[in-house]
Amino acid sequence: MMMLGLGSVGLVLLSLAVQSGHGAQDSMCVSMYSAVWSRAETTERNYYTRYHNMSEITAWMEQMKRENPDVVSSMVYGQTYERRDITLLKIGLSSTGRKKAIWMDCGIHAREWITPAFCQYFVKEILRTYKTDTKVNEMMKNLDFYITPVLNVDGYIYSWHNESTRLWRKSRSPGTGGCTCYGTDLNRNFYANWGMVGVSTDCCNLFYCGTKALSESEAWAVTDMLGKMSEDILAFLTIHSYGQQLLVPYGHPNISAPNHDELMEVGLGAATAIKAVHGMEYTVGTSPDILYPFSGSSQDFARLIGIPLSFTFELRDKGEHGFELPEDQIQPTCEEAYAGAHHIITYAHDKVFYSYAATVTATLSTTLLAAWVSSATLL
């Protein structure tokens, strides 16, 4: 029998669901619709080229801890509306001193399945390379990576129920004041110019911002963690789809980040690293400039509380497949996005730990990485 999380994961889904306290509801992940994505022969080689439901991702997180006990631990830092745990992986080499941190979250919008796939790929890559890549090893010594593969757990599970729920975006909290619709857009619910622009007060709308800032337990959990760690976090990366964009704060058209020029420079460097892998173009800028204005985002909140580098990745594509990106694009999407994230993280690391210009180091490192990724096969 193959290893849990990288083998016959379908065999453990029901037991995991029951153990989590949501057996009746989560077991729908193995319904007829979920079976479209189930594989009898999932191997380590092809695991990262497929989408995985929440039970499979939970099993994978446990597997990462078991296989890498010296560098990987997990932390439950909140609960969803439906009382499911919100869990992150903490990755880094042990240190006697206080370490700096990188934050990454995926799956804040349920239908954006490529984003949990990227968080899984990112974890796999840094764990694969830190023993042989001197730069990754150095960053693992100086930084801890806090990675949430699925933030909107309730919504993500719901998006796997059947074809009618596949494109669910929001959380799963019920409406108030007689509104019978469910869910709040978690990326409109943060305490950053909340409710000012690009949102809706109609609880049936996709961009419903909630009854107040932090009305959603998921947004509160992230806010609480960021507040505790803000002095140590060098970069905040939140992963979305789609559009092939790198967004910098702020979403409000009349507000600019104090280090806007730096954010643009680093973002453009990341876009260059992304393009070097498979030739894909990513546009860099503020949301009002290249997408649309909106407020209450986690990215804006991170910059507002002093985290210097805050970026939103909008992964492939530009609308041909949209939120239903085919599985044969998972690998190339993750490869190029990894190069972009690596550039940002390298810049953030070198700016703090070296006195010379970080941009030179980051550009050289990510250019070499991109050249390697474009010629490598998935391991």
Side-chain angles (χ1 to χ4, degrees), residues 87-91 104 119 122-123 126 145-149:
T87 307
L88 60 77
L89 291 178
K90 179 183 176 183
I91 302 173
M104 178 184 293
C119 265
F122 182 89
V123 169
I126 60 173
F145 295 83
Y146 292 81
I147 301 172
T148 304

Side-chain angles (χ1 to χ4, degrees), residues 80-84 152-158 172 218:
T80 66
Y81 173 79
E82 294 178 343
R83 310 304 293 173
R84 296 183 176 91
N152 181 7
V153 181
D154 294 346
Y156 188 70
I157 289 173
Y158 189 68
R172 290 296 297 160
E218 296 89 346

Side-chain angles (χ1 to χ4, degrees), residues 240-258:
H240 294 242
S241 71
Y242 59 91
Q244 293 174 207
Q245 298 163 336
L246 282 172
L247 304 179
V248 304
Y250 282 92
H252 194 291
N254 298 329
I255 304 174
S256 295

